[in-house]
């Protein structure tokens, strides 16, 4: 054994070795338990102060009892990439996600009643269901799809100028004289006096359309005099001339007075007054003359028919579809309108003309 004189230096060197050993083992987490076991054995034979110093360096517990539980470390806060949720995803692996904008508060619901038919900048819009109440008559054997024709949009009106042209192929047609409406006849229910013939009905139609803001040309030429047989040829020349001069025209209304096979007086009471019934006549190409777009004319007539039926009271007779073309090949907006018959009075026909003006203005928009 060492002499007592040399015990202290040896003990000092021994303690320094233990300190170095403790520091070395501290760097190795897997040797933590082995370090603690070795220190426990050294404590049995070593100096208390030295062992306490070694324990302080190794555990940081100092002279406390080694049986005390070591407090659990605080959880480490997770780092998140910008825009990523704190879900433990490594920032470099965070998926690129778009931040959804908060939804605006819902607006209160409003209920709007749509007009029937609904109106647009080009006039009302018609549905195929309206065709169920429509009837066709006449000599033509064609069976067109009325619902599809009703749904066809009206042609756009881009050019500025007159919108409606009123003509009279049979300009001398007249009505039953009544009250002050008396005339000098030029034939049976005919007169050259334009103030007592169907031309006077055209005057009312033109005035009412103008009052509704629709620019009108009213051609008051006597196309059936002196030659009745040349009436359609004369009217054709006038219509073509006006259409060439004013491409803005979208509706050509040829006003007639009907002649019934059996003289029966037909009237319609609207708003307490008697009106003459009206009938729309549409020509086709079935008679052999070229008229490839006759269904466009029929489409317009069907729309007018629907508006007329909405007036009620039987104002509109069934639409007459014919084999002849009646100059309607010149414009898809060309129609014949029979206002009243020989059994009606001029005043009754004028009242119906005012209603026709409202219908035409509604279509034109």
């Amino acid at each position: 054994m060492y002499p007592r004189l040399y015990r202290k230096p040896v003990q000092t060197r021994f303690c320094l070795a233990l300190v170095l050993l403790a520091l070395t083992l501290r760097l190795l987490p897997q040797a933590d338990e082995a370090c603690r076991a070795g220190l426990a054995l050294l404590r049995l034979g070593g100096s208390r102060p030295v062992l306490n110093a070694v324990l302080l360096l190794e555990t940081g517990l100092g002279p406390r009892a080694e049986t005390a539980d070591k407090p659990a470390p605080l959880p480490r806060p997770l780092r998140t990439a910008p825009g990523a949720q704190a879900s433990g995803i490594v920032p470099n692996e965070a998926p690129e996600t778009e931040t959804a904008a908060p939804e605006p508060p819902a607006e209160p619901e409003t209920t709007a009643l749509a007009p029937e038919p609904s109106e647009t900048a080009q006039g009302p819009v018609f549905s195929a269901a309206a065709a169920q109440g429509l009837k066709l008559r006449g000599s033509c054997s064609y069976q067109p799809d009325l619902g599809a024709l009703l749904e066809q949009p009206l042609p756009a009106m881009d050019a500025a100028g007159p919108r409606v042209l009123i003509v009279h192929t049979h300009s001398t047609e007249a009505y039953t004289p009544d009250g002050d409406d008396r005339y000098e006849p030029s034939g049976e229910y005919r007169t050259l006096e334009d103030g007592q013939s169907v031309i006077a009905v055209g005057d009312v139609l033109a005035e009412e359309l103008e009052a509704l803001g629709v620019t009108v040309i009213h051609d008051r030429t006597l196309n059936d005099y002196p030659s009745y047989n040349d009436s359609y040829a004369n009217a054709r020349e006038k219509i073509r001339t006006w259409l060439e001069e004013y491409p803005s025209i979208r509706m050509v209304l040829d006003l007639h007075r009907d002649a019934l096979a059996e003289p029966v007086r037909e009237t319609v009471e609207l708003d307490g007054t008697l009106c003459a019934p009206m009938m729309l006549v549409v020509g086709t190409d079935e008679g052999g003359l070229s008229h490839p777009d006759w269904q466009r004319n029929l489409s317009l007539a069907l729309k007018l028919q629907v508006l007329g039926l909405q007036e009620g009271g039987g104002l509109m007779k069934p639409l007459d579809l014919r084999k002849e073309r009646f100059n309607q090949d010149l414009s898809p907006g060309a129609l014949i309108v029979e206002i009243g018959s020989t059994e009606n009075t001029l005043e009754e026909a004028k009242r119906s003309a005012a209603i026709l003006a409202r219908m035409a203005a509604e279509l034109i928009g």
Side-chain angles (χ1 to χ4, degrees), residues 12 31 38 47 58 90 100 123 148 215 218 226 233 262 283-284 298 326 336-337 364:
T12 300
S47 172
E58 202 281 327
V90 179
T215 307
H218 185 195
E262 296 182 5
T284 68
L298 179 57
F326 301 118
I336 284 180
V337 186
I364 293 173

Side-chain angles (χ1 to χ4, degrees), residues 254-274:
D254 187 0
L255 295 192
H256 289 247
R257 180 264 302 139
D258 199 6
L260 301 178
E262 296 182 5
V264 177
R265 178 172 169 79
E266 299 175 329
T267 58
V268 178
E269 185 174 352
L270 297 174
D271 297 329
T273 59
L274 295 179

Side-chain angles (χ1 to χ4, degrees), residues 87-332:
S87 58
I89 300 176
V90 179
N92 291 338
E93 297 177 356
E96 295 182 3
T97 59
E98 297 181 0
T99 304
E103 295 184 0
E107 298 182 357
E109 295 183 358
T110 57
T111 302
L113 297 178
E116 192 172 328
S118 58
E119 295 182 359
T120 65
Q122 296 296 338
V125 177
F126 298 84
S127 67
Q132 297 177 0
L134 301 181
K135 297 179 181 179
L136 296 182
R137 72 177 189 184
S139 59
C140 182
S141 63
Y142 292 156
Q143 299 294 324
D145 187 341
L146 303 186
L149 292 176
L150 265 177
E151 289 182 333
Q152 286 185 1
L154 293 168
M157 294 180 291
D158 299 327
R163 299 300 187 196
V164 177
L165 170 63
I166 302 172
V167 298
H168 306 278
T169 298
H170 296 155
S171 311
T172 62
E173 291 177 334
Y175 298 87
T176 296
D178 180 67
D180 294 334
D181 294 326
R182 304 282 176 175
Y183 53 84
E184 182 71 25
S186 61
E188 187 175 10
Y189 293 103
R190 296 183 179 278
T191 182
L192 296 177
E193 300 178 36
D194 54 15
Q196 297 296 324
S197 68
V198 71
I199 294 178
V201 179
D203 289 338
V204 173
L205 177 60
E207 292 169 3
E208 294 293 329
L209 282 171
E210 293 280 357
L212 293 170
V214 180
T215 307
V216 179
I217 296 174
H218 185 195
D219 191 317
R220 305 171 84 252
T221 304
L222 297 178
N223 292 304
D224 61 344
Y225 184 85
S227 173
Y228 182 83
N229 292 334
D230 292 333
S231 56
Y232 274 98
N234 295 335
R236 186 177 185 84
E237 181 181 353
K238 300 296 188 302
I239 294 172
R240 178 182 284 130
T241 299
W242 287 118
L243 290 176
E244 290 175 354
E245 184 173 356
Y246 296 105
S248 59
I249 294 174
R250 289 295 177 268
M251 197 175 293
V252 180
L253 300 179
D254 187 0
L255 295 192
H256 289 247
R257 180 264 302 139
D258 199 6
L260 301 178
E262 296 182 5
V264 177
R265 178 172 169 79
E266 299 175 329
T267 58
V268 178
E269 185 174 352
L270 297 174
D271 297 329
T273 59
L274 295 179
C275 304
M278 293 188 288
M279 182 176 66
L280 302 176
V281 181
V282 177
T284 68
D285 59 357
E286 191 173 14
L289 296 178
S290 176
H291 188 7
D293 296 329
W294 63 267
Q295 292 199 61
R296 296 180 63 186
N297 302 74
L298 179 57
S299 176
L300 175 63
L302 291 171
K303 294 174 174 62
L304 270 179
Q305 185 81 359
V306 169
L307 295 179
L309 291 175
Q310 291 176 357
E311 296 288 337
L315 179 65
M316 305 300 295
K317 292 183 177 181
L319 194 150
D320 194 8
L321 191 64
R322 302 284 292 275
K323 295 180 179 180
E324 299 79 15
R325 69 180 183 183
F326 301 118
N327 291 332
Q328 293 175 10
D329 60 306
L330 297 177
S331 168

